[in-house]
Amino acid sequence: QVQVVESGGGLVQTGGSLRLSCVVSGDGFTINAMGWYRQTPGKQRELVATVNDYGSTTYGDSENGRFTISRDFAKKTVYLQMITLQPEDTAVYFCNVKGTKRGRSYEYTYWGQGTQVTVSS
């Protein structure tokens, strides 16, 4: 059973910073890529950032150089450092993990439950 658990969300003032963490657990699961997405009510979930198993990163259009994704391979953890937060960054942030299970070539995708980030004006 693969579990994905986020933490680090909360309430912050405009211009503030937060660091989100996401830990993956589960035996026999090899992680390929990890990432963060966010969603606000009535809108589709959008890409924030991803990092693959080579350390290559991609970012969505909204972060404007303010977010940094990083990954600790040994700890099966991905981080999202966010600075200069704005009210429009308010959303539920979801961790996304892609990987394979022992003996199988199919790539599975798992999501965490999400962590709320609220930026007050």
Side-chain angles (χ1 to χ4, degrees), residues 36-108:
W36 292 94
Y37 291 73
R38 69 185 186 184
Q39 189 170 23
T40 55
K43 293 187 178 181
Q44 286 190 330
R45 196 169 293 187
E46 66 172 0
L47 168 70
V48 177
T50 64
V51 56
N52 66 16
D53 52 353
Y54 296 101
S56 296
T57 58
T58 59
Y59 290 91
D61 295 333
S62 59
E63 58 91 28
N64 292 325
R66 299 177 296 123
F67 297 170
T68 303
I69 191 169
S70 61
R71 178 175 166 179
D72 186 323
F73 289 81
K75 295 182 178 179
K76 296 184 178 181
T77 301
V78 65
Y79 305 97
L80 183 69
Q81 178 68 51
M82 304 184 290
I83 64 171
T84 321
L85 284 162
Q86 303 297 313
E88 52 266 34
D89 295 316
T90 296
V92 179
Y93 285 70
F94 294 91
C95 182
N96 172 277
V97 179
K98 293 183 171 61
T100 55
K101 295 183 179 181
R102 186 181 296 124
R104 302 181 182 182
S105 59
Y106 178 80
E107 186 174 72
Y108 293 82

